[in-house]
Amino acid sequence: MDITFVLLNAVVIASIYGLIAVAVSITWSSLGLINLGYGFVFSFAGYGAWLMSTYVTKMPAPVMAAGILAGAICGVIICVVVFIPLHDKSNFTTRGMVGTLAISLLGSQALLMNFGPRAKALPEFFGTGSVNLGGIVLTADRIGIVVCATVMLCFVVFWMKGSRRGLEIRAMMMNPHAASIVGIGIRKTGIYVMAITGGMAGLAAVLLSQTYYVAPFSGLTPLIKGVSIALCGGLGSVQGAIIAAVILGFTEAATSSLLGGQYVLITQFLVIICILIFRPRGISGLLDKAREQ
């Protein structure tokens, strides 16, 4: 096994699925919503990027922007349809999960009816070049994926630390009840949360779809892995989600190299089970007490 190859693949995988895992964690910690609609957001964003590349331009920047924008719009739609009507109802967590799952299933069927079952391909954004650093070959697509995912995560972090809306989201993450008491609007904040996390899922869709494909149900596997990583890292913890993404990314890369891709999900879930046995609340260790009441 080439450990360098495995590590490079692990970083790339962690960059893509980490975006969805962080989005799941932010949504839970700020809104108390486990959003199972990210599968539809992923597919919707992929088709948005595909439409841009097919009918407007194949230039990387506009295509990626179209995917991010489509993901943000889809996130806002889920917020308006599910979160706003249900957030103050009893059993919101369960209702929210069911509602977002229904949106994901219905939305995927709508994509299937409109675009058909045949997969669509996105252009290669980063070219076919490579860089050799001390015997380590870094291809352009891997460099591009890691850089774009890192830039997106840094943008989200700095925006949440430096903007008024970002500070409101952070206040909701720390204590949603106290935030509402001091006048932070839950509905308005929910729209911003779902837009920014939808944009993150949209970028993940564009980065992954250029390597694989765009299809109505292509978001199912990223959704499963994103939620699994978020649970493994500890729901509500961005840091835990990133750590879990690295661990499971390395697990997937090592399994693919040693055993084959058909064993990836088995080994990943075994790792998740082992982590949750010793850390029942995930790697981060703590959940917001306000969510437990």
Side-chain angles (χ1 to χ4, degrees):
M1 179 178 65
D2 187 348
I3 188 64
T4 302
F5 177 78
V6 171
L7 289 176
L8 289 176
N9 282 345
V11 171
V12 173
I13 294 168
S15 298
I16 295 175
Y17 293 131
L19 285 171
I20 301 179
V22 171
V24 171
S25 293
I26 292 176
T27 305
W28 164 255
S29 60
S30 59
L31 305 181
L33 174 67
I34 299 178
N35 187 1
L36 299 182
Y38 282 120
F40 172 55
V41 174
F42 190 97
S43 300
F44 187 86
Y47 278 108
W50 176 78
L51 290 173
M52 173 64 75
S53 66
T54 302
Y55 297 105
V56 182
T57 178
K58 294 184 181 297
M59 295 180 62
V63 174
M64 293 180 68
I68 294 172
L69 179 61
I73 292 173
C74 192
V76 172
I77 292 173
I78 293 176
C79 180
V80 172
V81 174
V82 177
F83 174 71
I84 291 179
L86 296 179
H87 82 279
D88 56 351
K89 302 295 190 298
S90 60
N91 298 321
F92 165 69
T93 301
T94 302
R95 292 185 178 187
M97 290 177 61
V98 173
T100 54
L101 180 60
I103 289 288
S104 183
L105 296 175
L106 293 174
S108 297
Q109 289 293 335
L111 292 176
L112 179 63
M113 292 174 61
N114 283 277
F115 294 99
R118 181 171 298 179
K120 314 294 184 183
L122 290 181
E124 294 184 355
F125 300 139
F126 309 111
T128 57
S130 61
V131 178
N132 192 322
L133 297 177
I136 301 175
V137 179
L138 303 176
T139 58
D141 60 334
R142 292 178 178 177
I143 296 174
I145 288 173
V146 174
V147 169
C148 289
T150 303
V151 169
M152 184 66 172
L153 287 174
C154 290
F155 167 77
V156 171
V157 170
F158 285 116
W159 180 77
M160 290 180 66
K161 288 184 176 181
S163 68
R164 178 176 178 179
R165 298 302 179 190
L167 292 174
E168 291 178 353
I169 294 174
R170 291 180 64 196
M172 291 283 292
M173 293 172 68
M174 293 177 183
N175 194 317
H177 301 295
S180 62
I181 291 174
V182 298
I184 296 177
I186 296 178
R187 292 179 176 85
K188 183 181 293 185
T189 305
I191 291 176
Y192 284 102
V193 170
M194 296 298 286
I196 195 70
T197 55
M200 295 171 67
L203 177 60
V206 173
L207 295 178
L208 187 61
S209 297
Q210 63 156 345
T211 305
Y212 294 97
Y213 53 83
V214 179
F217 295 94
S218 61
L220 179 60
T221 298
L223 169 65
I224 294 173
K225 292 188 177 182
V227 173
S228 300
I229 290 171
L231 289 171
C232 186
L235 274 178
S237 171
V238 174
Q239 181 182 3
I242 294 174
I243 296 173
V246 173
I247 294 174
L248 295 182
F250 178 80
T251 302
E252 178 169 337
T255 302
S256 298
S257 179
L258 291 174
L259 303 177
Q262 66 269 29
Y263 297 102
V264 166
L265 286 178
I266 297 175
T267 56
Q268 282 187 330
F269 282 111
L270 285 176
V271 170
I272 292 172
I273 291 170
C274 291
I275 291 175
L276 293 180
I277 287 175
F278 293 100
R279 302 284 294 180
R281 293 185 173 182
I283 294 172
S284 65
L286 293 175
L287 287 174
D288 187 350
K289 293 181 180 179
R291 298 293 180 210
E292 298 176 338
Q293 296 176 354

